[in-house]
Amino acid sequence: MNISYPNIHGVIFDLDGTLVSSELDFTLIKAQVGCPLGRDLLTYIAELPSAYMREEAMNIVYQHELHDAQHASLLPGVADAITYLHKQQVPMAIVTRNFDRAAALKLKNNPLPISTVLTRSDAPPKPDPSALNTIAQLWQLEQSTLIYVGDYLYDIQAAHNANMRACLYAPSDAVPTYASEADFVIHHFSELPKLVAAFQDGKEDYVKLKVD
């Protein structure tokens, strides 16, 4: 099936597991705050019955995130891809479920030419589309001309909730089942500039829309 897409006028990225490494142990964090494994951690904390319980639980999450931020490094191919897009004057931004201090530390230690960064301190966390919508408004661009690149189901859902294209970054041979929900799948960051260039050149058939 042939699907026609508009050109890509801007790229928004997830942070952890997409641009930088992350070793957050969500199984451990959930155990420490009492969150069932099958539940979303942030949603669970938000629904705790008292402000004190929510604050105590979030403090545990903050500690893990800040510790993780100290050891984060750029993932393979990210620097070259971002440099290419920057030289092509493609608007770029970051939307992450991290809180602001952890995200700032990761980007301080791994500087990238991306000045627009929204965290869960700025907008409701993904898959809520609020942060993505805010960036589209900031850039004054139609959502359908933007693409959101991330490594997890929430990234795909957030992109589609914002009427944006979803690009799943799946570097492992074990492609997740939800990959089929993404518009595009890349396995190495060197593929991202080719994807953007393909749309700018009117060669969108370059990219496989779904995982085989």
Side-chain angles (χ1 to χ4, degrees):
M1 179 176 63
N2 292 323
I3 302 177
S4 178
Y5 292 96
N7 286 351
I8 293 174
H9 293 159
V11 183
I12 308 172
F13 297 94
D14 173 44
L15 184 60
D16 288 0
T18 301
L19 297 179
V20 301
S21 62
S22 176
E23 298 180 359
L24 285 172
D25 186 341
F26 285 102
T27 299
L28 174 61
I29 298 172
K30 287 182 177 182
Q32 290 178 344
V33 303
C35 175
L37 285 177
R39 290 212 59 191
D40 176 68
L41 176 64
L42 297 180
T43 301
Y44 171 80
I45 293 174
E47 294 175 352
L48 288 173
S50 74
Y52 174 78
M53 294 174 68
R54 293 191 292 272
E55 181 179 0
E56 288 296 298
M58 284 308 306
N59 282 337
I60 292 173
V61 177
Y62 292 152
Q63 292 171 15
H64 281 276
E65 288 181 321
L66 286 172
H67 178 76
D68 183 60
Q70 296 173 15
H71 306 285
S73 59
L74 289 178
L75 291 174
V78 167
D80 289 342
I82 298 299
T83 297
Y84 170 84
L85 295 174
H86 182 63
K87 288 181 178 178
Q88 296 298 312
Q89 298 183 325
V90 176
M92 291 182 288
I94 293 171
V95 169
T96 174
R97 280 167 61 100
N98 260 312
F99 85 116
D100 51 2
R101 286 179 58 197
L105 181 56
K106 290 185 176 186
L107 292 169
K108 177 183 177 181
N109 294 339
N110 302 280
L112 293 168
I114 302 176
S115 58
T116 302
V117 180
L118 294 184
T119 71
R120 70 168 186 270
S121 306
D122 305 301
K126 301 170 293 185
D128 187 291
S130 298
L132 298 181
N133 291 334
T134 296
I135 291 171
Q137 294 167 5
L138 176 66
W139 289 345
Q140 297 186 351
L141 292 172
E142 290 290 333
Q143 269 106 318
S144 61
T145 68
L146 305 180
I147 188 168
Y148 184 53
V149 183
D151 68 317
Y152 188 58
L153 175 62
Y154 290 160
D155 303 312
I156 298 173
Q157 293 173 335
H160 290 161
N161 289 341
N163 193 32
M164 297 180 186
R165 279 163 281 182
C167 178
L168 178 70
Y169 172 54
S172 171
D173 291 337
V175 178
T177 56
Y178 51 77
S180 61
E181 299 183 33
D183 298 289
F184 313 106
V185 178
I186 60 173
H187 301 287
H188 192 277
F189 250 81
S190 61
E191 299 172 55
L192 182 62
K194 297 175 185 178
L195 170 61
V196 175
F199 280 96
Q200 292 174 334
D201 296 338
K203 302 174 181 176
E204 56 265 39
D205 59 345
Y206 165 82
V207 184
K208 298 169 71 173
L209 299 182
K210 299 294 182 184
V211 176
D212 293 334

